[in-house]
Every structure is written in C-alpha cells, then in structure tokens.
Amino acid sequence: MFIQDLEPVADSLALSALVATLPLVTVLVLLGAVRMRAHRAGLTGLAVAAAVAWLAYGMPVVQTASAAAQGVLFGLFPIMWIVVNALWVYRMTVRTQHFDILRRSFGRLSDDPRIQALVIAFCFGALLEALAGFGAPVAISAVMLVALGFEPVKAAVVALVANTAPVAFGAMGTPVVTLAQVTGLPLDSVASVVGRQTPLLALVVPLVLVFLVDGRRGLRETWVPALVCGAAFAAAQFAASNYVSAQLADIGAALAGAAALMALPGARRPAAEPVRAAVLTGVRSEDLDIEDPRREVVRAYAPYGLIVAVFSLAQIPPVKDFLAGATQVFDWPLLDVEGPDGEPVGANVFTLPLVSTGGTLVLLAGVGTAAMIGVRPRPAVREWLGTVYELRFAILTVTSVLALAYVMNLSGQAAVIGHYVAAAGAGLAFLSPVLGWFGVAVSGSDTSANALFGALQVTAARQSGLSPDLLAAANSSGGVLGKMISPQNLTIACAAVGLAGKEGDLLRKVLPWSIGLLLVMCLIVVLQSTAVLGWMLP
C-alpha cells in the first residue's frame, strides 16, 4: 500500500508543492516557449511526473505505472471515445456533402462575419459542447469558419475562446455530475451555483468574439447583437441549471442564444464590403451562394437533431437505469493507494460505463445518421477508421496528459498543490477558480479537474468557513477558462484548420484571453463570498 504524504520534500509543504509543479511547468514551457509538438510535450511531462512521483514522493514504480495506465484508459474511454464518434458523424456529413449544405445554411443566416462567429462558434459550438464536448466543438466550428473565409489562425482562436461558457455543463452535464459525485454535495445545489457563475461569463464572451473578429470596429458596430445573444444564452443556462436539468442546460442555452440573435433585425443586415474584406482574409468557399433543396437542408440538420433526441431519450429515468446496467466496476490492478487521511482513494476501483457514456450514445446516433444521409456500412466503417487515424496525435496527447494527471493525483502531487493553495485562507475564494483553471489547462477536461480538486475545494472551504457549494462550483467555473489553453484542445484546433505543429503559436494568442477572463471569474467568486454578491447564492 502507498500512503500519500503532504510534505515529502524536506518536510515542507511549500517545497513539496514547488516540486509538484515541475510536470505542469514542463508541459507549458515546452508548448509555449520551445514550441514542441503537443503530444511530445505531454509525453515529456508524463516522464517528469513519474520521476517526481518515484524519487520525491516515494510512490513505487509499479503503482506509478498502474496510475499512468488508468489515466491512459480514461483518456481513451470515455474522453476520446466521445471525440472520435462525434467527429465521425461530421466526417460522414462531409462525405455526403451535407456538411457543405449546413455550412451554406449558416452562411445565409447572415453574411456579416462577426455575426457568423457568434452563430457558429458560440451558439452552434455550445450545442456541440452540450452533446459531445471534449474538443469536437472547437474542431467543427473552426472548420466552418475557415470555409466561410476566416483566416485559419483567427478561426482557431475564435473557436477556442468561444468554447468557455458552455463547458461546465458540457457532454450532457458530465463535469457538474462528476463534481457532485466526488464532493458528496447534491447535484442540484452544485449545478445551481455553477449556473449563477458561468452565465455571467456568457455575457462577456460574445463581446470578446466580435472584438477578436474585427477589433474595436466590430465591438462598436455589433455590440448589441453580441449582448442580446449572450443575455439569452445566460438566461436559458441559468434557468435550466437551476430549475430544469443540468444535463440539458447547454442545449437550451445554445438554442436560445441562436434564436435571440436571429430574431434581432440588425443581425441579418448585410455587412459592409470593407468589413468583409478586412475580416475574411482567408479563402472563401466558392459554393456559398448555391441554393440547396429544402429536403437536403433538413437532412443536413438531421444528424444533430438525432443526437439531441438520443441524449434526451437517455435522460429518461427508466432508459437511464437500463443503460447504466451495462456499467462495469472492478478493482484496478496493481494499485492500492490511501490518501493522507488514511482513506482509500477512488481510483482503486475503476468504473467503465460501456453504454451510458456519451461516446456510445453518439455512436448510436452516428449509425442512424449514416442511414439518414445515405452512407453504406462499409464506407461508414472506413470513415470511422479514418477519424481515428486523423486524431492519432490528438489521442496520444490526450492520453499522455491524462496519464500525467493521474500520476500527479495518485502520488499526492495534486493534493500537495491544492493544500498549498488552500493555505491562502482569506484569499481562497480568489484562488479557488485558479485551481480549477490549472487542472483543466493540464488535463483538458473540466470533468478531470473536478475529479482532481473538487473534494479538496470542499475540505478547504469548510476549514476556512466559506460555502462548500461556492468553492466546488468555482473549481468548475474557473476550469472552463483553462480549456482554451489545454494541449489537447490546441492540438485539435490546429489539426482542424491545417496548422499542425503550430500549437505554441496558438497558445500565445489565446493565453491572454484565458488569464483575463479567469480574473473576471475570480472577482465574481470573491464577491459571491461576501455580502456584495452573496445574495446570488441559493
């Protein structure tokens, strides 16, 4: 048995935390300064994490390797299982040209690139996040924007920044569900507080997007549509997370934001030619003016409607219980770890949701999609295998980074960092979102960051007299802002727009926005911990 030690380095929490940050610093430096490919940076960071676990934290080599293997499996299933199947649906629509029809349909909603960014990256991207998450929204939104004439780097940056407000409720509420499970707090109370934080972010992000697309002119000329879209999104996300269902929060928000935007007369007004010429610096697809038959337009939207239907059906209690019956739970081999309190850690037992996981539901929807849009079984299988091959480096990045996260978590490195941050006392409300942001920046998953630090946030909150619900929610809400700088999301964005190997360049462009929005979230949480905004909490 391995028992985690909170002060393994010179009996000092500060020195132990400093050593524990080495794997994370390694990955970020290799990406941002050295410009190393993300999968290589992830593997290097994993090697550093394993060395720290073994040499500094005293974790046996066999248990370190077992922890890494569990992270690899979690990266493959369910995370990349969702991404592969979601992008498989996309590839099939590309094969049958229904994706082009969908793209032209979005293009006809407005020819103003700033509005297109809101419709595609913010609203449609949020719908994709609600259904699949884990990189699919960034990849598909970025591809659409490039086809509309956006320069590839700008398309990638817009897609990454837009993928923030919906993340906490993404993949049918997986992050908040996980947060409730690891903290022992009621799902309704956790989701309710998150639903009173991320909607405030949703008010800001559309304004940032139009600024990214067209600078100050874009903000000056389209701030009203951006604000209306963000307000409708925020209101729907708040209402659904507090009074309906956390699993359906992003679906309602995405549809409400798009509907409000398209109902605004100014949003459909043609853009001035100088705006289009200045913003659309890439190569615009020549087929955007083709009129498509209504029947084919319906078939182009059908895959996403089918995904919504499948996920909605899976939330019906009897169906949900039936699907959960296939879940496998078993003891993870060669792993016997106790926390500093002497309690066994959850990773000793592994849960494998074979059917109820989002990836399997997307796979079922993909089979239906193939039938609806006319893809025969053999080509459909080839497209699935082609998707795996296309994502091979992204898969390697995700699995290596999650292996790193699991080694850090099980060896005690993550707990030491968390306890050091928790020692901030009165400053804990400010640092709480930072911890979630840090976790997502490394793992690429708000779900993983909640699993890593959720319980720690609750413990620290109770020790300091703050609301456990507030700090648990802050972990998830702050985490959404780390997603745009996570190695796997950067890799997926670069692959989608043809910038493979340019992850470091993209990181430098989105990092200031990630930090800036994080500071906004930190301020929100601090004020919610006081009488100023304390009335917002349920």
Side-chain angles (χ1 to χ4, degrees):
M1 179 179 293
F2 171 70
I3 301 177
Q4 296 174 351
D5 185 357
L6 293 180
E7 297 180 348
V9 180
D11 294 326
S12 168
L13 181 63
L15 288 177
S16 300
L18 182 63
V19 172
T21 62
L22 290 177
L24 309 177
V25 172
T26 298
V27 172
L28 294 177
V29 169
L30 290 179
L31 275 176
V34 182
R35 302 188 187 184
M36 182 180 287
R37 294 286 295 272
H39 65 280
R40 293 175 181 169
L43 289 171
T44 305
L46 171 59
V48 174
V52 171
W54 176 41
L55 298 175
Y57 279 69
M59 189 177 199
V61 174
V62 172
Q63 297 219 40
T64 301
S66 181
Q70 188 174 152
V72 169
L73 179 58
F74 184 71
L76 292 173
F77 192 96
I79 291 182
M80 291 309 297
W81 181 237
I82 295 176
V83 176
V84 167
N85 290 321
L87 291 184
W88 172 55
V89 174
Y90 157 70
R91 281 176 63 105
M92 287 193 294
T93 64
V94 171
R95 180 186 181 91
T96 60
Q97 299 184 344
H98 284 93
F99 178 75
D100 293 329
I101 295 173
L102 184 68
R103 172 173 48 80
R104 288 193 289 267
S105 176
F106 281 153
R108 281 191 289 272
L109 294 175
S110 173
D111 76 339
D112 189 327
R114 300 163 299 190
I115 303 301
Q116 290 171 346
L118 294 176
V119 172
I120 295 172
F122 188 68
C123 297
F124 186 58
L127 181 61
L128 294 173
E129 180 67 36
L131 302 177
F134 300 110
V138 170
I140 296 175
S141 298
V143 167
M144 282 189 165
L145 292 175
V146 169
L148 291 172
F150 281 68
E151 192 269 331
V153 173
K154 182 172 288 187
V157 170
V158 168
L160 285 166
V161 174
N163 189 221
T164 49
V167 169
F169 297 103
M172 303 306 294
T174 299
V176 292
V177 170
T178 301
L179 184 62
Q181 290 174 341
V182 300
T183 59
L185 298 173
L187 173 60
D188 291 344
S189 65
V190 173
S192 178
V193 179
V194 175
R196 296 162 193 246
Q197 293 172 343
T198 56
L200 299 177
L201 192 64
L203 294 173
V204 178
V205 171
L207 298 171
V208 173
L209 294 181
V210 296
F211 178 82
L212 286 171
V213 172
D214 194 27
R216 292 181 180 178
R217 177 179 61 181
L219 193 58
R220 183 174 62 252
E221 295 180 359
T222 55
W223 68 270
V224 172
L227 195 58
V228 167
C229 177
F233 184 102
Q237 192 181 61
F238 164 76
S241 60
N242 278 268
Y243 306 112
V244 183
S245 167
Q247 287 86 349
L248 301 177
D250 279 348
I251 293 177
L255 297 177
L261 185 60
M262 290 300 98
L264 197 66
R268 303 182 71 94
R269 188 178 301 128
E273 282 304 318
V275 172
R276 294 185 59 82
V279 174
L280 299 181
T281 55
V283 178
R284 185 173 182 266
S285 296
E286 298 178 355
D287 65 346
L288 290 176
D289 297 325
I290 296 176
E291 288 292 333
D292 298 299
R294 184 179 297 274
R295 179 173 178 272
E296 295 303 316
V297 173
V298 172
R299 292 177 74 189
Y301 280 90
Y304 304 99
L306 181 60
I307 293 175
V308 172
V310 168
F311 272 90
S312 299
L313 181 64
Q315 296 304 310
I316 298 175
V319 177
K320 189 174 184 179
D321 293 339
F322 174 75
L323 296 178
T327 298
Q328 300 293 314
V329 180
F330 56 91
D331 291 334
W332 187 260
L334 304 176
L335 196 65
D336 191 4
V337 180
E338 287 188 356
D341 56 0
E343 293 293 325
V345 302
N348 293 333
V349 177
F350 192 77
T351 301
L352 198 63
L354 297 173
V355 180
S356 59
T357 187
T360 303
L361 297 178
V362 175
L363 178 66
L364 295 174
V367 172
T369 294
M372 286 191 299
I373 63 178
V375 181
R376 292 182 172 275
R378 191 181 297 273
V381 172
R382 282 201 299 266
E383 289 296 337
W384 192 90
L385 294 175
T387 303
V388 173
Y389 180 78
E390 179 184 339
L391 291 174
R392 62 193 185 281
F393 291 122
I395 291 172
L396 186 56
T397 299
V398 170
T399 53
S400 63
V401 170
L402 276 168
L404 178 155
Y406 268 66
V407 169
M408 289 188 63
N409 187 33
L410 293 175
S411 67
Q413 296 174 58
V416 168
I417 295 173
H419 276 83
Y420 184 72
V421 172
L428 183 58
F430 182 86
L431 293 175
S432 184
V434 178
L435 195 60
W437 173 84
F438 200 58
V440 176
V442 174
S443 69
S445 165
D446 201 34
T447 301
S448 297
N450 288 342
L452 281 171
F453 298 128
L456 176 63
Q457 297 270 23
V458 170
T459 301
R462 288 172 176 155
Q463 291 175 349
S464 60
L466 295 173
S467 165
D469 288 333
L470 175 63
L471 294 199
N475 192 84
S476 190
S477 299
V480 306
L481 300 168
K483 192 157 189 182
M484 70 178 79
I485 63 169
S486 67
Q488 52 266 53
N489 243 27
L490 291 170
T491 301
I492 291 170
C494 287
V497 299
L499 295 174
K502 300 291 186 182
E503 291 89 355
D505 295 337
L506 203 55
L507 173 63
R508 284 190 291 276
K509 289 184 178 295
V510 298
L511 183 59
W513 294 106
S514 178
I515 294 175
L517 292 171
L518 173 64
L519 292 176
V520 172
M521 182 55 65
C522 290
L523 180 61
I524 290 171
V525 174
V526 168
L527 294 178
Q528 287 181 333
S529 70
T530 68
V532 178
L533 291 182
W535 53 269
M536 291 182 63
L537 300 181

